[in-house]
């Protein structure tokens, strides 16, 4: 296996055994002793394919053996295999008829980065948000039983996803059913237990065996008539397990807990799964794996190697030729860096500031803050609902919480946002990351709805900066505002605006005219401003940077409506109920008659591709904006001509 980043093969490795596996039933025709070689080839091909396409990396390397064992033992797709999140499902895709298609994963019209029901019958449930697998698999198990079908359901969930409340809600319900459900806990951070060894493996073999379970169940029947003896035996079993395994919490919930076992030991995995497939009721199998398994850098830095960009082939060295020294522009900052820098600067000025994130420290640019202000940083794991109500509780004590959260994940805490923060008018600032389209991660991660679901909430201040400097200044504006506030910004870099270190509160609810033109006024909400300016140059249109969705600059909108024949709203958010709808509501309330056109995300889930490809598909690039406005103007002219004739 390659040991460094430079060793990842750009030429397809030889995989003679893997090449014979087009469907899982081909895998089940192999002899058990062939499986380790298949694992080696699968891991090599995964490294190659992700190097060619880019994509999620470390988690899949850690689930190679698990994937092989599950498809080897279970009769998929008849038996239901549900992957949580999907980062770990790349080996699953390779083994289920999509090996060659992996070279185009996350690209326009290519494979999705996540399990997708419309993509394959083996993808039983779509998984972009975490911690859904147990609920879904339990629903499948109960549904199959109602239909009179004999099938097993398996949920594969990571230790990180297991921290979410939804996972425990599902565990709690499953334990009160007789569903044939296996929850496979893929523990790749040692966050639950370090207890992997001979004794634990020995007991795992015993606890999963038919002999042990037949005695266990038979003993229960015999001892039902002797309650005191039954209680003694149950307590003895629980205490024995608790000495050598961390599973007592799952046993108390009502699961038959097995493990922990080595998730890279294929013979042990196959033997254990064979035993468990013959058992009934809810079972939890705890496996220990290593994220990035088989690739040294990813094993050493599982966070840094969570995903890879496409690896470009190295060019041959060129003979150096002296050239004039050109002025080098400083690299553009990502919006996440702008947020992280502001957070640190604000924390230095105000000791009341506390940063909160639901497991998105690195993605949201909070690493420096976490290091410098460790006692004021809370990563609450994958628990968005808790993150928001935690902030509300802190605000009650005079703390100034800042919640950094992806737009798509804030959807999961909507009730808490309304009931626990806004209803009580609490002073919480939300830094809403990944607003708008997110490129290759596709519709599961797109922030398509936040303007719609935020602006209908009383007491909310909703801001849409157009560049890096406005992001910094509006974060400050929201921070010093008394009440709940949200600043939404996209993934990636901005246009390269100069950032003022001084923090200045911008006037709330006031937009800014960026260009004066005639006939058409483009009301821009957010970071599509450069495209709006380009289109306006061709159309001689007015451009306004609105900055605020709530409250709107109603005076400015009223003035624009009297000076132009067409108002065009522009937002990287669904047009249903979004910022443009707010403009139309104001015009209707004022009785102003003016042409209005809303440009934004269409009423569909836009598939993955590059961000620019997605914007073009939605008509939100400069050419699309110009084209839409020209078509509207032409339609208006045609209507006037028809009226005149």
């Amino acid at each position: 296996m390659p040991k460094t980043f430079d060793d990842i093969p750009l030429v397809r490795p030889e995989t003679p055994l893997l090449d014979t596996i087009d469907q899982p039933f081909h895998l089940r025709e192999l002899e058990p002793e062939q499986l380790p070689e298949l694992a080696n080839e699968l891991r090599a091909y995964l490294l190659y394919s992700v190097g060619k396409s880019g994509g999620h990396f470390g988690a899949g390397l850690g689930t190679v053996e698990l994937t092989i064992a599950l498809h080897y033992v279970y009769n998929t797709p008849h038996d239901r295999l549900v992957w949580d999140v999907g980062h770990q499902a790349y080996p699953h895709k390779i083994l289920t008829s999509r090996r060659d298609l992996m070279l185009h994963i996350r690209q326009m019209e290519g494979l999705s980065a996540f399990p997708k029901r419309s993509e394959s019958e083996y993808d039983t449930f779509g998984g972009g948000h975490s911690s859904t697998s147990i609920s879904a698999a339990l629903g499948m198990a109960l549904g199959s039983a109602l239909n009179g079908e004999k099938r097993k359901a398996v949920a594969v969930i990571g230790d990180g996803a297991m921290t979410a409340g939804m996972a425990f809600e599902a565990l709690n319900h499953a334990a009160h059913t007789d569903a044939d459900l296996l929850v496979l806990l893929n523990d790749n951070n040692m966050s639950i237990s370090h207890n992997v060894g001979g004794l634990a493996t020995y007991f795992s073999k015993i606890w999963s065996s038919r002999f042990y379970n037949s005695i266990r169940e038979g003993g229960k029947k015999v001892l039902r008539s002797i309650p005191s003896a039954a209680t003694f035996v149950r307590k003895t079993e629980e205490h024995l397990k608790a000495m050598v395994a961390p599973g007592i919490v799952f046993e108390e919930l009502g699961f038959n807990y097995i493990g922990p076992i080595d998730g890279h030991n294929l013979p042990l995995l196959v033997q254990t799964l064979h035993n468990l497939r013959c058992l009934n009721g809810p079972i939890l199998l705890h496996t220990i794996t290593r994220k990035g398994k088989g690739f040294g850098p990813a094993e050493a830095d599982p966070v840094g190697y969570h995903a890879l960009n496409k690896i470009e082939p190295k060019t041959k060295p060129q003979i150096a030729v002296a050239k004039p020294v050109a002025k080098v522009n400083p690299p553009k900052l990502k919006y996440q860096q702008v947020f992280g820098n502001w957070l640190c600067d604000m924390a230095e000025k105000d000791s009341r500031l506390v940063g909160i994130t639901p497991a998105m420290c690195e993605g949201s640019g909070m690493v420096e803050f976490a290091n410098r202000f460790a006692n004021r940083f809370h990563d609450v794991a994958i628990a968005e609902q808790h993150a928001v109500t935690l902030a509300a509780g802190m605000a009650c004590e005079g703390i100034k919480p800042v919640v950094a959260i992806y737009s798509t994940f804030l959807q999961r805490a909507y009730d808490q946002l309304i009931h626990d923060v806004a209803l009580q008018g609490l002073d919480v600032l939300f830094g809403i990351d990944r607003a708008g389209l997110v490129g290759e991660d596709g519709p599961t991660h797109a922030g398509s709805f936040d303007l719609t679901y935020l602006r209908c909430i009383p007491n909310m201040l909703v801001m849409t900066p157009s560049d890096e400097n406005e992001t910094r200044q509006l974060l400050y504006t929201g921070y010093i505002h008394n009440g709940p506030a949200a600043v939404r910004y996209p993934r990636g870099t901005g246009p390269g605006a100069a950032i003022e270190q001084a923090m200045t509160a911008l006037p709330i609810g006031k937009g800014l005219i960026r260009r004066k033109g005639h006939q058409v006024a483009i009301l821009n909400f957010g970071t599509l401003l450069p495209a709006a300016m380009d289109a306006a140059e061709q159309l001689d249109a007015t451009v306004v940077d609105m900055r605020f969705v709530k409250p709107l600059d109603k005076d400015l909108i009223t003035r624009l409506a009297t000076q132009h024949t067409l108002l065009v709203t522009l937002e990287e958010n669904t047009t249903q109920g979004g910022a443009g709808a707010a403009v139309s509501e104001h015009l209707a309330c004022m009785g102003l008659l003016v042409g209005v056109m809303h440009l934004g995300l269409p009423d569909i889930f836009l598939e993955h591709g590059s961000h620019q490809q997605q914007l073009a598909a939605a008509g939100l690039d400069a050419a699309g904006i110009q084209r839409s406005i020209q078509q509207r103007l032409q339609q208006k002219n045609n209507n006037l001509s028809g009226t005149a004739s």
Side-chain angles (χ1 to χ4, degrees):
M1 296 296 294
K3 297 301 181 186
T4 70
F5 184 81
D6 290 336
D7 294 334
I8 293 178
L10 294 176
V11 178
R12 191 189 191 286
E14 295 292 329
T15 55
L17 192 56
L18 177 63
D19 293 345
T20 67
I21 310 299
D22 292 321
Q23 300 274 357
F25 67 81
H26 295 136
L27 167 63
R28 292 189 280 271
E29 293 173 352
L30 298 180
E31 297 297 326
E33 54 269 21
Q34 294 178 282
L35 299 183
E37 176 55 30
L38 178 63
N40 291 335
E41 293 184 11
L42 179 54
R43 190 168 272 114
Y45 186 83
L46 178 63
L47 285 163
Y48 160 74
S49 65
V50 175
K52 295 287 284 186
S53 65
H56 300 110
F57 185 65
L61 288 173
T63 59
V64 166
E65 287 82 8
L66 288 180
T67 307
I68 291 172
L70 285 166
H71 281 296
Y72 191 70
V73 173
Y74 286 88
N75 183 27
T76 56
H78 176 77
D79 290 332
R80 306 307 195 198
L81 179 56
V82 182
W83 296 92
D84 206 281
V85 183
H87 299 149
Q88 55 192 340
Y90 280 28
H92 161 80
K93 286 182 180 261
I94 293 171
L95 292 175
T96 53
S97 308
R98 290 168 281 181
R99 181 176 59 247
D100 296 334
L101 298 176
M102 289 293 294
L103 302 180
H104 305 288
I105 195 169
R106 303 173 80 244
Q107 299 173 17
M108 182 71 80
E109 299 183 355
L111 292 180
S112 168
F114 305 97
K116 187 175 180 181
R117 283 174 56 83
S118 61
E119 189 178 285
S120 170
E121 64 178 331
Y122 293 96
D123 291 359
T124 59
F125 198 77
H129 291 186
S130 83
S131 314
T132 62
S133 60
I134 304 176
S135 297
L138 176 59
M140 293 174 187
L142 294 174
S144 297
L146 286 173
N147 291 331
E149 298 168 328
K150 289 290 292 182
R151 68 171 92 238
K152 298 289 185 176
V154 181
V156 184
I157 184 169
D159 55 311
M162 189 63 92
T163 63
M166 184 175 178
F168 279 91
E169 291 171 12
L171 288 172
N172 184 60
H173 179 213
H176 293 280
T177 73
D178 57 359
D180 287 337
L181 172 69
L182 171 64
V183 176
L184 195 157
L185 173 57
N186 174 27
D187 182 356
N188 58 27
N189 278 325
M190 300 289 189
S191 63
I192 296 178
S193 172
H194 295 272
N195 195 6
V196 178
L199 190 59
T201 298
Y202 171 72
F203 277 104
S204 295
K205 287 181 179 179
I206 292 177
W207 293 332
S208 68
S209 69
R210 292 187 192 181
F211 176 72
Y212 168 81
N213 280 276
S214 64
I215 293 177
R216 183 177 188 254
E217 296 305 315
K220 286 181 181 178
K221 294 177 182 178
V222 172
L223 294 169
R224 281 196 187 111
S225 59
I226 316 174
S228 58
T231 300
F232 171 76
V233 172
R234 179 176 61 83
K235 290 294 183 182
T236 301
E237 179 190 43
E238 288 175 356
H239 292 155
L240 178 62
K241 283 190 172 185
M243 286 191 295
V244 294
I248 192 65
V249 63
F250 300 111
E251 289 279 346
E252 289 293 336
L253 281 171
F255 272 74
N256 183 7
Y257 172 88
I258 310 296
I261 66 173
D262 182 356
H264 300 297
N265 184 331
L266 260 171
L268 177 60
L269 281 172
V270 170
Q271 177 188 348
T272 303
L273 289 173
H274 267 303
N275 289 340
L276 297 182
R277 192 170 186 272
C278 299
L279 303 180
N280 298 320
I283 303 167
L284 189 137
L285 173 62
H286 183 178
T287 65
I288 303 294
T289 62
R290 190 171 184 86
K291 197 170 184 179
K293 172 70 174 177
F295 181 59
E299 290 187 20
D301 182 14
V303 174
Y305 283 86
H306 172 69
L308 285 182
N309 293 323
K310 179 180 178 180
I311 300 173
E312 301 293 346
K314 294 182 178 180
T315 57
K316 294 180 180 180
Q318 303 292 322
I319 299 174
V321 178
K323 295 182 179 179
V325 177
K327 182 180 179 180
V328 178
N329 294 323
K332 296 178 181 179
L333 289 180
K334 293 182 178 180
Y335 282 99
Q336 293 69 38
Q337 293 172 287
V338 175
F339 170 79
N341 293 342
W342 171 82
L343 193 65
C344 290
D345 293 345
M346 196 69 239
E348 287 184 340
K349 294 178 179 293
D350 190 347
S351 61
R352 297 174 301 159
L353 186 150
V354 168
I356 300 171
T357 184
M360 289 292 124
C361 177
E362 292 81 11
S364 291
M366 300 181 76
V367 172
E368 183 181 353
F369 176 83
N371 291 333
R372 289 174 56 187
F373 304 95
N375 64 325
R376 293 153 63 187
F377 170 71
H378 296 275
D379 185 339
V380 302
I382 302 173
E384 295 88 357
Q385 299 173 53
H386 169 61
V388 174
T389 304
L390 175 71
M394 287 184 171
C396 290
E397 300 300 321
I399 303 299
K400 296 280 286 186
V402 179
V403 179
I405 188 168
Y406 290 10
S407 171
T408 187
F409 298 146
L410 183 56
Q411 295 163 188
R412 310 185 84 175
Y414 193 52
D415 176 65
Q416 289 69 30
L417 178 61
I418 295 172
H419 183 273
D420 299 341
V421 176
L423 179 62
Q424 304 183 92
L426 292 173
D427 203 1
V428 179
L429 175 63
F430 294 88
I432 301 180
D433 193 357
R434 267 64 168 185
L437 299 169
V438 293
E440 291 81 1
D441 281 345
T444 60
H445 282 57
S448 305
F449 311 109
D450 54 80
L451 293 184
T452 298
Y453 68 67
L454 287 173
R455 78 172 191 86
C456 65
I457 303 175
N459 297 331
M460 285 296 302
L461 174 63
V462 183
M463 294 166 279
T464 57
S466 61
D467 61 31
E468 301 93 327
N469 186 55
E470 277 197 0
T471 300
R472 180 178 174 85
Q473 306 310 330
L474 287 175
L475 284 166
Y476 178 70
T477 303
Y479 184 80
I480 66 171
H481 171 71
N482 184 22
V487 180
R488 59 112 66 176
Y489 45 88
R491 178 185 186 182
T493 59
I499 298 177
E500 301 171 9
Q501 289 306 301
M503 289 182 273
T504 305
L506 301 181
I508 290 177
K510 295 298 178 184
L512 182 65
I513 296 176
R514 297 282 190 173
R515 185 187 190 281
K516 290 187 177 181
H518 302 87
Q519 190 177 7
V520 176
I522 303 174
L523 284 64
N524 173 75
F525 295 88
T527 55
L528 294 175
L529 183 63
M533 294 293 288
D534 288 347
E537 287 295 325
Q538 302 301 317
L539 299 165
D540 190 24
T542 296
V543 177
V544 182
D545 181 4
M546 292 299 295
R547 291 178 170 173
F548 295 86
V549 175
K550 188 174 186 177
L552 278 173
D553 192 339
K554 295 179 180 179
D555 292 340
L556 178 56
I557 294 170
T558 299
R559 189 165 72 249
L560 292 169
T562 62
Q563 298 170 348
H564 300 79
T565 61
L566 178 63
L567 300 187
V568 179
T569 64
L570 183 62
E571 59 190 304
E572 200 170 337
N573 182 84
T574 179
T575 56
Q576 315 324 55
V583 172
S584 286
E585 290 164 10
H586 169 67
L587 294 171
C589 183
M590 297 298 293
L592 294 170
L593 298 178
V594 62
V596 181
M597 180 169 64
H598 301 317
L599 297 181
L601 301 181
D603 190 25
I604 60 172
F605 291 106
L606 278 169
E607 293 298 336
H608 56 276
S610 72
H611 187 223
Q612 284 304 311
Q613 287 173 325
Q614 289 181 317
L615 289 177
L620 296 180
D621 58 352
I625 295 167
Q626 180 182 341
R627 181 172 59 250
S628 294
I629 295 173
Q630 286 175 330
Q631 289 173 351
R632 180 61 177 270
L633 293 174
Q634 183 62 49
Q635 180 185 19
K636 180 181 178 182
N637 291 334
N638 292 341
N639 291 340
L640 290 174
S641 298
T643 302
S645 62

